[in-house]
Amino acid sequence: MPAQGVKSHAFFERALDVIPYGVSSNFRYSGDHDTLVVSEAREGCLFDFDGKRFIDYRLGWGPVILGHTDPFVNGRVKEAIDHGVSFAATQQYEVSVAERIIAMCPGVEMVRLANTGSECTMHALRLARGYTGRDIVLKFEGSYHGAHDYVLWSTAGGDIHKAGNRLRPTAIKKGLGIPEAMRDLIQMCPWNDVEVLGDILHGRGEKIAAIIVEPVLGNNNALLPRPGYLEFLREQCDQYGIVLIFDEVKTGFRIAPGGAREYFGVHPDISTYAKAMGNGYPVAAIGGKKEIMLTFGPEKVFQGGTYTGNVVSTAAADATLERMQSGSVFPQIEKVGGVLMKGIREILSRHSVPHVINGVPAMFGICVTEQQPTDWRDLHNCDWDLLEAIHNHMIQNGILPEADGFEPYFLCAAHTEEDAAETLQKFEDGVKHALQ
Ligand code: PMP
């Protein structure tokens, strides 16, 4: 991450005094002198406290899809807040957002709103448990589904040496504080492997409440599913009576207007949405089949929250989804993202760096490797040091991908072809610097 300038560092020292590690999320800390601090953002760029500009490909880790400070979204929020923001009651933007999600995401019949991705995956898993009467959840190695104990197992940063045999993976806790007793409720599986999954389900499929999957591994370099893999998950869930949950917190309203359901044509039972649905405002949703969604309710499965469906968040989502429905958002993202993917391939080939580019234009990752990785274990064979050296050089020169290559590049509709040209120039400078 960027070496802080004088003003940025002075500001971060204030933060360090009052906030553990100066950040409100562990993921954001990258050293007392290298943690990113932001004073403001506009369109596809952000600025630190020294006024240094960065072309932003982190985009808050995915939510900003139209661009920072989008006037249409901010205008809708400003209009809405003068009529009150928090009612603990159903209000107009909430219903409008649910209607738009149902119109955009094939197979979604009902929606409940929330504020964060973590909240949605937690509620979706409780829903699946309530619906099936089973307790165990199957999750794939390397995927991230939020900050609660149900799913903080074998996430992207987990220690591969503790992962055990890939036929029967060991679940690795993310840090301290996760009760050991919860291990019995989680079943790990390597991703993209039909045989291992088939074998696990053959043994205990009837005890599993839900399979939760990122349809594109947004926390693992944007690895794509093998052709037919999501269809296989669908078939297996039908066979064993398991609720299939697509965690679309990163893919939803990003890889296509209707997310992975539209992109891959596979319909899970439940999807969880957050990030791009609000262009950076804290809003999230659980959507799915009516029969299952109606298991939420008084005396049934609990779901709630003081701020769920609040006016600020839902007004932002209403405007963001309306912009997407107008059709103008995705062509621009695909054009600029496509230019970047192609340009990066050409530069790496020119410098004889073996590589694979994963994902789609709206969300893609770079691996320095001879062989296409297909899961979290394979990713450990890539040369992350070289990629990080390239990224760090770019960051010092005003282009901001995440330094850690497990996190993809995110595009927004405010990125321009000029941004892409500058990015490719600095990417090539970074490659030359890293290879010296
Ligand atoms: N699911 C996925 C796929 C995610 O990428 C994330 C966050 N990166 C979450 C869930 C959790 O979302 P939040 O940070 O909004 O709680």
Side-chain angles (χ1 to χ4, degrees), residues 76-264:
R76 179 78 44 94
V77 171
K78 284 175 194 163
E79 193 184 298
I81 59 179
D82 280 342
H83 300 278
V85 295
S86 221
F87 313 134
T90 303
Q91 49 85 19
Q92 57 179 315
Y93 296 104
E94 193 180 352
V95 177
S96 178
V97 168
E99 287 168 347
R100 290 187 197 279
I101 294 174
I102 290 166
M104 292 170 77
C105 303
V108 172
E109 294 169 345
M110 294 194 104
V111 172
R112 276 252 171 131
L113 290 157
N115 300 297
T116 70
S118 300
E119 242 185 297
C120 285
T121 57
M122 177 184 74
H123 283 130
L125 291 174
R126 188 179 302 123
L127 181 67
R129 286 171 166 147
Y131 180 74
T132 58
R134 307 172 184 176
D135 287 345
I136 296 169
V137 166
L138 186 143
K139 160 186 189 296
F140 297 95
E141 291 183 295
S143 59
Y144 181 74
H145 300 294
H148 52 87
D149 294 348
Y150 291 168
V151 287
L152 274 177
W153 300 88
S154 302
T155 56
D159 180 354
I160 181 116
H161 303 294
K162 296 188 181 152
N165 184 323
R166 86 187 292 288
L167 303 180
R168 282 285 177 277
T170 306
I172 309 162
K173 285 182 194 176
K174 174 95 182 145
L176 308 176
I178 297 168
E180 184 58 25
M182 298 200 70
R183 184 182 295 282
D184 291 344
L185 302 179
I186 196 88
Q187 169 70 55
M188 297 310 308
C189 185
W191 199 55
N192 256 337
D193 188 324
V194 165
E195 278 171 21
V196 178
L197 180 62
D199 196 40
I200 290 172
L201 294 183
H202 184 70
R204 61 190 320 212
E206 266 132 34
K207 297 203 168 88
I208 293 178
I211 293 182
I212 185 164
V213 59
E214 291 182 74
V216 174
L217 291 194
N219 292 282
N220 284 241
N221 199 259
L223 287 181
L224 290 167
R226 282 195 164 124
Y229 188 64
L230 297 177
E231 288 82 349
F232 177 73
L233 295 185
R234 180 66 277 174
E235 280 162 32
Q236 294 291 296
C237 285
D238 289 343
Q239 182 178 334
Y240 290 99
I242 296 169
V243 175
L244 179 59
I245 302 173
F246 276 7
D247 178 358
E248 293 229 46
V249 167
K250 278 190 169 163
T251 55
F253 309 103
R254 173 164 283 287
I255 65 170
R261 288 171 179 254
E262 177 182 336
Y263 190 91
F264 295 108

